[in-house]
Amino acid sequence: MPKILFMSHAGEEHSIEAKVGDSLMEAAVKNSIAGIDADCGGACACATCHVYIDSSYSALTGTPDDMEQSMLDFADEVQPTSRLSCQIPITEEMEGIVVRLPESQ
Amino acid sequence: MSDATVLIVGAGQAAAQTATSLRQGGFEGKITILGEEPSPPYQRPPLSKAYLKGELEQERLYFKNAEWYESQNIDVLTNITISSVDADSMSATTQSGKIFNFDHLVFATGSRNRTLPMEGAQLENVFGLRNLVDVDALRPHVGPDKNLVIIGAGYIGLETAAVAQTLGTHVTVLELADRVLARVTSPIISAFYEDLHRRYGVNIKTRCSTSSINGKDGKADSVTLASGETLPCDALLIGIGILPNIEVAAEAGIKCEDGILVDEAGRTNIPHIYAAGDCAKRFILPYGRLGRLESVHNAIEQGKQVAAAIMGKPAPKLDCPWFWSDQYNIKLQIAGLSTDYDNFVIRGDSDNEKFAVFYFKDDILIAADAINSAPEFMTAKRLITAKAKVPPEWLADSDRSLKDIAAQFK
Ligand SMILES: Cc1cc2nc3c(=O)[nH]c(=O)nc-3n(C[C@H](O)[C@H](O)[C@H](O)COP(=O)(O)OP(=O)(O)OC[C@H]3O[C@@H](n4cnc5c(N)ncnc54)[C@H](O)[C@@H]3O)c2cc1C
Ligand code: FES
């Protein structure tokens, strides 16, 4: 059960214990992290699970595939570190990673 | 306010959203969700996709786990059917006579499958696909050497066909109209899906009416068509649309018209009673007319609206309606409603399974169907919400950047 820290745009911190195998989006939704709506439930169809993950963690979270990247290209408030959290499976190694949320979804 | 009781009738997508948004918005009163099904709220889209295919565990269908509801002080009571609501005494009564009082009541009763008015439709291996129980019952009938006949080529019928065919089932889809998805999309997209399914080996018959379902020992074993042809089957799936669950609301004196009528804040004509999701009929941005939508986005958006109305907060910003469908390796994303379009253009190439159709009415972009084309979908959503008069030739020109087009209509 790795611990994951979600940080709102305003800087509020919310630490949760996530289940290995769930996606980062599922962990957020199950813990009611505000700002992750996940309208499509992880089908990579809505971009309402948009988060930022610092490049220092990208070895753990991987990089977006084509579909995810093209959704991200057209999402609001995109940054180079943008990801769709439904496309990131949680692993034991993710203990302590920090996930930042955009201002609006 | 803080000791108000909110009763949510129905325990699906809209119910879960309303409860979540109430707590996220700081509502401290009592929240009770009453659902007819044995399960707490879960997502339905995977039922005809990854879950049917066996690629998603049941546990991952649930929006929240039991600990969450407990920690949020939300009571979820399952296997309970509300049979009447009394607006004067502000109470709801279950089928077994138990009474729940409320300060606010939300109808989140969703919809049910239309049944096929035909002898044989009640046989034990004739299924619908709406609930978890339905899929679990259908699953054993899907697999190599089995014949599955699907009546109705809407999204649910076609998604099920795709999964069943992939799992080795012999699938036949029977459709009364002259094309698949006739109610929801244009002939171009219909033709694309017909061709796709045929290439995978699904037997699709359009303009095809069923004259009887034949059975032995309580089980259907074949279907006879109006043409006289008889098709053997091990199971049948009926996917001919849904009906909104509005009866309890209508009997309570709430205005209904193929849907519980609600205003832009999700309120019915009776104070303190609201409706959200498949059962509600509302004003649809940006078309300026009433409609009932059957989608996740609609259930979420209306759930948020109702929560805001209960808390006396301003209604949240609305988005244009949208939907998606996954079949084989094709992702369809639909922005807006294309009904009554008077012009369209295509961007991309249907031969390489990556293209989008943009629909216009009176020169305004009203909808888009995007096949494996996320940028087109995302751009269309924005332009539709902005009621943009985009020159069709811009969208048809694949060399013209979508970002540049969108920037013109900020
Ligand atoms: C197989 C399938 C695939 C789908 N795929 C997609 C998709 O890809 N994309 C998309 O956007 N949408 C999809 N949808 C549609 C989407 O799931 C629905 O629009 C959404 O679930 C509607 O939410 P709701 O809360 O209004 O109703 P529901 O989720 O249907 O929930 C209503 C609940 O209320 C209960 N209920 C009804 N009456 C009573 C009563 N009197 N007392 C107590 N309980 C009651 C019902 O039993 C039900 O559990 C799909 C639907 C199905 C069935
Ligand atoms: S949940 Fe919809 S794209 Fe991630």
Side-chain angles (χ1 to χ4, degrees), chain A residues 26 29 37 39 43 74 76, chain B residues 60 64 296 304 331 382:
Chain A
E26 287 171 295
V29 168
D37 284 352
D39 289 5
F74 288 82
D76 289 326
Chain B
R60 294 179 73 177
K64 310 281 185 186
V296 162
K304 289 182 184 173
K331 181 175 294 297
R382 277 189 205 180

Side-chain angles (χ1 to χ4, degrees), chain B residues 9-16 34-37 39 42-49 80-83 108-111 113 129-131 155-156 159-160 242 245 248 276-279 293-299 322-326:
Chain B
V9 183
Q13 181 103 39
L34 299 171
E36 192 166 48
E37 291 185 66
S39 314
Y42 60 89
Q43 349 168 25
R44 294 182 201 279
L47 297 185
S48 51
K49 307 178 182 80
I80 287 190
T81 305
I82 291 296
S83 53
T109 45
S111 51
N113 288 324
L129 212 175
R130 178 80 207 162
N131 301 332
Y155 287 117
I156 290 179
E159 288 184 350
T160 306
I242 60 175
N245 291 325
V248 177
D278 280 10
C279 66
L293 301 172
E294 303 160 4
S295 70
V296 162
H297 168 251
N298 174 62
W322 71 273
F323 190 82
W324 80 97
S325 174
D326 292 326

Side-chain angles (χ1 to χ4, degrees), chain A residues 63-79:
Chain A
T63 47
D65 66 10
D66 288 354
M67 182 71 193
E68 182 185 341
Q69 190 57 54
S70 56
M71 287 294 290
L72 281 171
D73 284 346
F74 288 82
D76 289 326
E77 301 169 51
V78 234
Q79 294 178 6

Side-chain angles (χ1 to χ4, degrees), chain B residues 20-169:
Chain B
T20 304
S21 295
L22 280 170
R23 286 291 184 247
Q24 277 180 349
F27 177 78
E28 290 174 356
K30 193 170 160 58
I31 301 177
T32 304
I33 301 178
L34 299 171
E36 192 166 48
E37 291 185 66
S39 314
Y42 60 89
Q43 349 168 25
R44 294 182 201 279
L47 297 185
S48 51
K49 307 178 182 80
Y51 183 71
L52 177 64
K53 208 168 169 188
E55 284 176 350
L56 192 74
E57 305 144 57
Q58 184 164 323
E59 202 204 305
R60 294 179 73 177
L61 295 175
Y62 298 107
F63 295 112
K64 310 281 185 186
N65 54 28
E67 294 84 69
W68 183 84
Y69 290 111
E70 206 181 298
S71 73
Q72 298 294 310
N73 194 19
I74 296 171
D75 285 339
V76 182
L77 308 179
T78 53
N79 288 311
I80 287 190
T81 305
I82 291 296
S83 53
S84 68
V85 167
D86 183 346
D88 293 334
S89 65
M90 298 181 89
S91 65
T93 307
T94 69
Q95 230 162 28
S96 57
K98 194 166 166 10
I99 293 175
F100 288 86
N101 295 313
F102 61 83
D103 298 299
H104 302 276
L105 179 131
V106 184
F107 279 101
T109 45
S111 51
R112 60 181 180 276
N113 288 324
R114 248 176 224 282
T115 50
L116 191 65
M118 184 177 292
E119 213 185 316
Q122 308 304 327
L123 294 168
E124 68 170 63
N125 54 342
V126 180
F127 303 98
L129 212 175
R130 178 80 207 162
N131 301 332
L132 202 41
V133 179
D134 297 333
V135 203
D136 290 341
L138 174 67
R139 245 236 209 98
H141 301 273
V142 168
D145 304 323
K146 295 198 155 79
N147 289 306
L148 175 67
V149 173
I150 299 177
I151 300 185
Y155 287 117
I156 290 179
L158 291 186
E159 288 184 350
T160 306
V163 171
Q165 189 73 26
T166 306
L167 296 175
T169 323

